[in-house]
Amino acid sequence: MNESWKIEAWRILIFIVVILLLGTGINNYTLAALIGALIYLAWHLYSLARLNRWLTEYQAAEIPESTGIWGRVYDRLRGVTRHHQHEMADLHRGLDRYRQITKALPEGAVTLGPNDEIELINEAATSLLGLKDPQDLGSPITNLVRDPQFVDYMRDGKFSEALEIPSPVNHSVRMSIRVVPYGDVNQKLLLVDDVSRVHKLDEIRRDFVANVSHEMKSPLTVIKGYVESMRDDTGEFGLKWKKAIFQVDQQTDRMCRVVEDLLQLSNLETNPAEKPTPVDMPSLIRSVHAEALELSNSRHDIALDIDETLFLTGNFNQLYSALSNLVFNAIQYTPKRGQIRIAWHLGRDNHAKFSVSDTGPGIEHQHLPRLTERFYRVDTARSRELGGTGLGLAIVKHVLLRHEASLSIDSEFGNGSTFTCVFPPQRIADKNALKSSA
Ligand code: ADP
């Protein structure tokens, strides 16, 4: 038996002796026992009331002191409270450390609660996003950063890719925003980075390519003109230099195609997207098919399978360029007597799909992720021999990006390839809209 129980036992014993003496004195043991029981009960109720008061004013008041069984209960409570206070202090220290780390991050960091309300924000984030600490804590971030792209990004919740927008404080500053969801109640960590330098370098690169292509265009046109007249010269000079002129003519053609493709790419990259208009896809695809038949010159079996009712909204010329690039590639890379199938239909997922399948050489798996990079070719010599620029699929990718669409490539080495353009439901146009816009 521990000390407090012993004290309690002694207390009860002494109490019984006093009650017995009282019983003898008043010659009524029942009454004495009743008085004793009431006093003992009153003491317990008093101790219970003290405990209740402390529990209600938790932490504001001291834990009461007592002896016996109540002393033991209070001592236990004191121990538990002390342990709890230590844990709280540890937790606060951890939280402070976390706050200091977040504040010291060179990247802007904002932690968001379940309803995107700001919980914590560091200095870099306040200056990039134009937020105030502590005034803005607790407010939903989309009430304060009102860029429509940012609001859509937060609403859509597709955080696999970063969002790049201008800073609301200074429009010449470009910010890259990444969101990392964490915890089980939809908390988020928002990381903001100043990418103005990278953005500027990218702009310089794009301008440089566009300027060089523009500068090359005029001299190339002049050279091309002279080469053509030399090629057609039937005199002594023409006959003597026939082979050399033929090669210069071919190379000039190739350079012209590269310059044209580079200009088209920089237009796609730099010019803002035009207002989309309804595009009669069935007739666009039939034109591509007619050109393909001409290019193939009966060397291939080209099948056409199109949904005549499926229209898109977008840019006719850009779509023509992208789809013809895919079809012409199939013709260029598929050997004689190969089959090519062009299809246009609505998928079960409500996405419109344009696909070109061929029975050509196919592409080894490791090349697939890089095919849309500029100048990436599986076989450079073969591509050049066929008059390729290495820019066709990069153009396709950019056109599709502008149409919220994506390119999927399915190919097995030795077993042909299928290139599919997938357009989202919001890009599918009503046939009547085309009639009214005509
Ligand atoms: P290129 O002008 O060289 O055709 P593209 O960007 O159009 O450039 O294509 C990149 C590369 O992808 C090509 O060089 C070729 O190796 C490969 N490729 C594209 N389409 C096909 C196809 N239908 N079959 C086999 N390989 C293809």
Side-chain angles (χ1 to χ4, degrees):
M1 206 193 288
N2 73 33
E3 200 53 35
S4 47
W5 281 106
K6 267 189 211 157
I7 293 172
E8 195 65 24
W10 273 110
R11 184 177 284 158
I12 292 170
L13 206 70
I14 292 165
F15 208 63
I16 291 170
V17 172
V18 171
I19 296 298
L20 281 175
L21 287 174
L22 181 70
T24 317
I26 62 171
N27 207 13
N28 190 340
Y29 288 106
T30 316
L31 185 64
L34 190 68
I35 292 170
L38 280 175
I39 292 172
Y40 194 62
L41 183 67
W43 180 67
H44 275 298
L45 283 176
Y46 167 69
S47 301
L48 207 60
R50 288 213 300 167
L51 175 63
N52 183 47
R53 188 169 353 116
W54 176 77
L55 284 174
T56 337
E57 296 168 11
Y58 181 63
Q59 286 189 340
E62 277 290 306
I63 297 179
E65 297 278 349
S66 188
T67 53
I69 185 63
W70 280 106
R72 180 157 174 76
V73 170
Y74 296 147
D75 283 348
R76 279 266 164 97
L77 265 179
R78 210 167 280 119
V80 171
T81 312
R82 217 168 285 141
H83 180 71
H84 178 66
Q85 278 165 348
H86 280 306
E87 275 189 343
M88 287 292 281
D90 278 352
L91 212 65
H92 279 297
R93 266 197 297 277
L95 203 64
D96 273 349
R97 229 186 349 252
Y98 166 68
R99 280 202 180 111
Q100 278 161 12
I101 293 169
T102 315
K103 282 205 186 290
L105 276 178
E107 258 188 334
V110 187
T111 54
L112 300 175
N115 298 314
D116 289 348
E117 70 277 14
I118 302 171
E119 283 179 346
L120 204 78
I121 183 163
N122 75 354
E123 226 172 274
T126 48
S127 54
L128 277 170
L129 294 167
L131 299 174
K132 290 182 210 81
D133 186 13
Q135 294 92 315
D136 291 338
L137 298 186
S139 306
I141 191 155
T142 40
N143 285 3
L144 303 164
V145 181
R146 290 170 161 272
D147 185 302
Q149 285 190 71
F150 177 71
V151 175
D152 289 349
Y153 182 70
M154 293 303 290
R155 191 199 48 224
D156 295 348
K158 291 180 194 146
F159 301 130
S160 54
E161 285 196 16
L163 171 75
E164 213 185 290
I165 51 166
S167 158
V169 183
N170 177 355
H171 277 243
S172 63
V173 173
R174 297 286 301 185
M175 320 180 285
S176 165
I177 297 180
R178 271 174 301 142
V179 173
V180 189
Y182 71 95
D184 29 287
V185 282
N186 192 27
Q187 291 126 299
K188 297 178 192 90
L189 174 65
L190 194 135
L191 295 165
V192 199
D193 212 1
D194 182 346
V195 288
S196 312
R197 220 175 81 83
V198 182
H199 188 77
K200 188 85 207 144
L201 285 175
D202 204 38
E203 221 172 68
I204 292 172
R205 185 215 24 107
R206 267 187 268 142
D207 287 351
F208 176 76
V209 174
N211 290 339
V212 168
S213 312
H214 268 297
E215 291 298 326
M216 281 173 72
K217 205 175 164 173
S218 316
L220 271 175
T221 315
V222 175
I223 294 171
K224 179 81 191 136
Y226 279 116
V227 172
E228 269 172 11
S229 41
M230 283 187 216
R231 193 188 57 194
D232 299 339
D233 180 36
T234 48
E236 196 188 330
F237 176 84
L239 291 173
K240 188 176 174 198
W241 294 101
K242 193 172 177 197
K243 206 171 153 202
I245 293 169
F246 175 73
Q247 279 186 1
V248 174
D249 188 32
Q250 266 198 333
Q251 295 305 319
T252 319
D253 271 347
R254 209 169 77 78
M255 280 173 79
C256 287
R257 278 197 302 275
V258 171
V259 166
E260 284 300 330
D261 280 0
L262 280 175
L263 280 173
Q264 195 183 346
L265 258 179
S266 67
N267 273 342
L268 287 168
E269 272 189 329
T270 45
N271 290 354
E274 314 79 4
K275 194 173 174 292
T277 52
V279 177
D280 181 347
M281 288 296 281
S283 82
L284 184 154
I285 295 167
R286 269 196 302 276
S287 307
V288 173
H289 178 241
E291 261 199 82
L293 287 175
E294 225 171 276
L295 185 69
S296 160
N297 200 12
S298 308
R299 281 178 297 132
H300 307 93
D301 171 13
I302 308 176
L304 190 63
D305 171 15
I306 48 177
D307 178 343
E308 294 289 341
T309 60
L310 194 52
F311 292 71
L312 282 185
T313 51
N315 179 300
F316 184 94
N317 291 339
Q318 287 174 12
L319 286 169
Y320 194 96
S321 159
L323 306 196
S324 58
N325 255 309
L326 295 178
V327 175
F328 298 166
N329 270 352
I331 291 170
Q332 301 282 33
Y333 293 103
T334 306
K336 215 172 164 180
R337 281 192 283 281
Q339 281 142 28
I340 294 163
R341 182 173 176 270
I342 302 169
W344 171 239
H345 57 87
L346 186 68
R348 276 204 205 108
D349 53 1
N350 278 331
H351 283 61
K353 291 173 187 172
F354 172 83
S355 64
V356 185
S357 314
D358 62 55
T359 53
I363 304 158
E364 279 171 292
H365 203 252
Q366 73 268 22
H367 296 294
L368 296 183
R370 300 196 58 190
L371 280 189
T372 53
E373 287 175 21
R374 279 149 216 244
F375 298 114
Y376 189 87
R377 289 128 155 166
V378 177
D379 180 345
T380 310
R382 173 127 182 81
S383 157
R384 288 210 176 119
E385 185 192 308
L386 295 170
T389 60
L391 294 167
L393 292 181
I395 292 175
V396 173
K397 186 179 108 177
H398 274 87
V399 169
L400 294 185
L401 265 178
R402 285 197 154 213
H403 289 80
E404 302 169 82
S406 59
L407 177 69
S408 84
I409 308 171
D410 206 2
S411 187
E412 207 182 304
F413 190 49
N415 255 339
S417 322
T418 299
F419 288 76
T420 309
C421 307
V422 184
F423 297 89
Q426 67 268 26
R427 282 284 174 169
I428 296 172
D430 182 5
K431 200 174 174 178
N432 296 326
L434 186 81
K435 279 187 199 141
S436 59
S437 78

